[in-house]
Amino acid sequence: MSDRLEFDTDCPNNHNQTVKFNRDEFEAALKSDALVFHCNTCGADWTPSSEEIARLRTQFSKNAS
């Protein structure tokens, strides 16, 4: 079983995107202030909201159980 999880999110231009992280990648990017999502449809880059970060952490916690 892979420790990478997929998460769906919408870019600022309302394009649905899937991002993939494992817990270590996610936390390292977050701590280094380098966590940025990219839209392959329109090229937009954006920082995830606090709600998205909380949702990602919740999913990692569920997966670890």
Side-chain angles (χ1 to χ4, degrees), residues 9-54:
T9 189
D10 291 325
C11 85
N13 295 313
N14 294 318
H15 299 120
N16 183 270
Q17 298 296 304
T18 301
V19 294
K20 297 177 187 179
F21 292 102
N22 68 34
R23 177 175 261 169
D24 293 337
E25 291 169 335
F26 171 74
E27 292 297 337
L30 194 59
K31 286 178 186 172
S32 68
D33 205 26
L35 185 60
V36 176
F37 294 161
H38 175 76
C39 179
N40 292 325
T41 304
C42 68
D45 292 321
W46 73 99
T47 304
S49 68
S50 56
E51 291 83 13
E52 288 174 307
I53 291 170

